[in-house]
């Protein structure tokens, strides 16, 4: 008997592996493919839904299958598919836009108001045996890339989108706040793009040690400790001054050309803005509170460009795959833990615990035992 289990978030705090009562067994929609999911990475958003039951306006109101960082093998194609074929190994781009709104027609389909994104309420995610995707939203991967690595094309695509929006050049300098997976991948992509100097900031020394080994010639900074009675902005100003004073290549220019916050923490956003040089670019890549205090006078006086960043859009997945295939970026070192499908709950607990050495956890699919992982 075929196992059609799925990893289901029943409600906030209640994650179970159970029979998928919404499995796709009917005829495929036009130009869709059915993918046997082989590997899935656990994203911070998955854990956030588990712990809090919501992210902003997206609230879990009914049982939902988690997972959106996935790869697999095509096992069925609709009769009218023209681009994909059965047997292809693919990375799954997990969001389906409407294709007809102005945003979609402009190529920025990540902003589509009708986007149906995996594991974003009420849309089921990829932690199930098979997943249905439009044929143009599964991206072929090279034979040299394992399914585990291919699952990480999703967060790598986020980093590609961040760096593309920064519009950096070979002489650019860059500061990245946060040495989690997104921050690390942003640094790796920035280095591949030719950024001259990169500084990574994190309050966890072990994470910064990993960053120094992962990205060539990256430098790191451990933030100062807050003092009692100090406001967040007061702390951020003191922290920014300390950071700039420790690196001549930053202090001489009044900051970095490009600064990324991949944490979402208010003090990181504040410090990041304060560390951006005049006429520089700051981008918020990490989700945080809906409302924070920002140094608006500094933004105006420095003529800063302040950007948001949401997922990825046209071409990012293909560029992510090309970066790995060419050897410019390696995602394999980020995989710290691998779990069998039946151990998925333990995998989520491992990510939530955030113990030292945890970077990316992979859950192997139900059919993965029949595939050779590179």
């Amino acid at each position: 008997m075929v196992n059609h289990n799925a990893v289901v978030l029943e409600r906030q705090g209640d994650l179970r592996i159970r029979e998928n009562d919404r499995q796709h067994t009917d005829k495929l929609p036009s130009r869709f493919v059915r993918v046997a999911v082989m590997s899935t990475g656990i994203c911070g958003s998955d854990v956030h839904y588990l712990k809090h039951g919501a992210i902003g306006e997206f609230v879990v109101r009914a049982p939902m299958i988690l997972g959106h960082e996935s790869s697999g093998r095509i096992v069925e194609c609709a009769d009218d598919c023209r681009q994909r074929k059965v047997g292809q190994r693919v990375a799954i781009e997990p969001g389906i836009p409407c294709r007809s709104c102005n945003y979609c027609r402009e190529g920025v389909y990540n902003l589509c108001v009708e986007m149906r994104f995996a594991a974003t309420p009420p849309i089921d995610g990829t932690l199930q045996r098979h997943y249905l995707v439009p044929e143009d939203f599964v991206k072929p991967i090279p034979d040299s890339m394992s399914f585990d690595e291919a699952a990480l094309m999703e967060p790598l695509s986020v980093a590609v989108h961040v760096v593309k929006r920064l519009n950096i050049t070979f002489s650019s300098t860059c500061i990245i706040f946060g040495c989690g997976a997104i921050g690390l991948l942003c640094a790796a992509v920035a280095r591949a793009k030719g950024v001259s100097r990169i500084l990574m900031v994190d309050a966890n020394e072990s994470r910064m040690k990993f960053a120094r080994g992962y990205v060539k010639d990256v430098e790191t900074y451990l933030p100062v400790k807050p003092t009692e009675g100090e406001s967040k902005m007061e702390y951020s100003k003191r922290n920014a001054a300390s950071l700039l004073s420790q690196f001549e290549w930053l202090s001489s220019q009044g900051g970095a050309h490009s600064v990324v916050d991949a944490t979402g923490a208010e003090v990181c956003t504040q410090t990041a803005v304060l560390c951006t040089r005049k006429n520089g670019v700051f981008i918020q890549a990490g989700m945080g509170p809906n409302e924070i205090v920002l140094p608006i006078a500094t933004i105006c006086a420095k003529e800063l460009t302040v950007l948001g960043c949401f997922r990825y859009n046209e071409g990012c997945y293909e560029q992510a795959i090309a970066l790995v295939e060419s050897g410019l970026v390696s995602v394999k070192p980020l995989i710290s833990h691998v779990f069998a499908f039946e151990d998925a709950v333990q995998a989520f607990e491992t990510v939530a615990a955030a113990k030292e050495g945890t970077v990316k956890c992979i859950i192997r699919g139900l059919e993965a035992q029949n595939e050779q992982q590179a």
Side-chain angles (χ1 to χ4, degrees):
M1 183 177 179
V2 178
N3 180 348
H4 282 289
N5 282 349
V7 180
V8 182
L9 178 60
E10 301 285 357
R11 62 188 63 82
Q12 179 182 345
D14 185 4
L15 184 67
R16 302 182 188 183
I17 301 173
R18 65 165 171 82
E19 178 73 12
N20 181 8
D21 53 12
R22 296 189 294 275
Q23 59 183 280
H24 304 287
T25 56
D26 51 353
K27 184 177 180 180
L28 289 171
S30 174
R31 301 195 68 178
F32 266 65
V33 298
R34 192 187 311 274
V35 179
V37 179
M38 295 296 173
S39 295
T40 299
I42 300 178
C43 176
S45 65
D46 294 316
V47 176
H48 197 92
Y49 281 123
L50 172 61
K51 295 173 67 174
H52 304 286
I55 296 178
E57 64 185 31
F58 297 104
V59 181
V60 179
R61 305 185 189 279
M64 179 181 74
I65 299 172
L66 292 179
H68 64 269
E69 300 179 359
S70 294
S71 63
R73 186 183 296 279
I74 297 175
V75 295
E76 184 184 358
C77 296
D79 293 339
D80 57 352
C81 280
R82 299 195 295 267
Q83 302 174 20
R84 303 290 178 257
K85 60 184 180 181
V86 171
Q88 279 187 304
R89 302 167 69 251
V90 294
I92 299 172
E93 186 171 348
I96 305 174
C98 76
R99 302 177 185 268
S100 60
C101 69
N102 288 337
Y103 297 114
C104 287
R105 292 168 66 84
E106 292 167 9
V108 289
Y109 55 77
N110 54 318
L111 305 180
C112 174
V113 295
E114 296 182 26
M115 170 67 76
R116 294 173 58 83
F117 198 86
T120 298
I123 309 303
D124 280 331
T126 55
L127 278 168
Q128 51 185 305
R129 190 176 201 94
H130 294 150
Y131 194 71
L132 269 60
V133 198
E135 64 169 334
D136 53 332
F137 277 77
V138 292
K139 313 299 181 178
I141 58 174
D143 293 339
S144 59
M145 185 182 294
S146 71
F147 285 122
D148 291 350
E149 292 170 296
L152 299 191
M153 294 306 97
E154 200 278 342
L156 181 55
S157 294
V158 173
V160 167
H161 186 47
V162 169
V163 174
K164 285 169 67 175
R165 282 181 62 73
L166 286 174
N167 196 29
I168 54 181
T169 66
F170 294 113
S171 62
S172 295
T173 56
C174 186
I175 304 174
I176 298 172
F177 286 76
C179 292
I182 296 298
L184 290 166
L185 289 169
C186 285
V189 175
R191 177 63 77 213
K193 191 81 180 288
V195 169
S196 61
R197 305 290 288 268
I198 301 174
L199 177 69
M200 299 200 70
V201 182
D202 202 287
N204 186 312
E205 178 57 50
S206 67
R207 282 190 166 197
M208 290 196 296
K209 181 180 178 180
F210 181 89
R212 291 191 293 269
Y214 178 62
V215 182
K216 183 180 179 182
D217 296 330
V218 75
E219 298 173 76
T220 56
Y221 169 78
L222 184 68
V224 299
K225 300 290 185 183
T227 60
E228 187 176 352
E230 190 175 37
S231 71
K232 289 182 178 180
M233 184 58 75
E234 289 170 341
Y235 167 77
S236 297
K237 290 179 178 179
R238 184 166 61 87
N239 190 34
S242 172
L243 185 157
L244 294 175
S245 69
Q246 291 190 32
F247 301 90
E248 192 277 333
W249 57 275
L250 288 172
S251 59
S252 63
Q253 296 293 319
H257 294 94
S258 302
V259 183
V260 179
D261 176 48
T263 71
E266 182 172 2
V267 293
C268 290
T269 299
Q270 293 169 343
T271 305
V273 169
L274 294 166
C275 289
T276 308
R277 60 164 284 177
K278 292 181 178 180
N279 198 38
V281 181
F282 164 73
I283 188 165
Q284 186 65 45
M287 286 289 189
N290 287 333
E291 298 178 2
I292 65 169
V293 176
L294 281 178
I296 296 299
T298 298
I299 292 172
C300 294
K302 287 186 174 183
E303 289 198 348
L304 301 185
T305 299
V306 178
L307 300 174
C309 187
F310 189 57
R311 295 174 181 156
Y312 33 76
N313 54 39
E314 181 63 33
C316 290
Y317 250 77
E318 290 84 353
Q319 290 158 9
I321 292 169
L323 282 169
V324 174
E325 184 177 16
S326 66
L328 288 171
V329 173
S330 176
V331 296
K332 196 170 185 178
L334 300 183
I335 301 171
S336 56
H337 299 75
V338 177
F339 295 86
F341 194 88
E342 57 267 26
D343 297 323
V345 173
Q346 180 187 348
F348 274 84
E349 291 171 348
T350 299
V351 176
K355 292 182 179 179
E356 185 173 330
T358 302
V359 184
K360 288 300 293 187
C361 290
I362 296 288
I363 298 173
R364 295 272 172 83
L366 286 165
E367 296 189 17
Q369 61 267 30
N370 299 322
E371 294 282 344
Q372 181 178 0
Q373 293 285 330

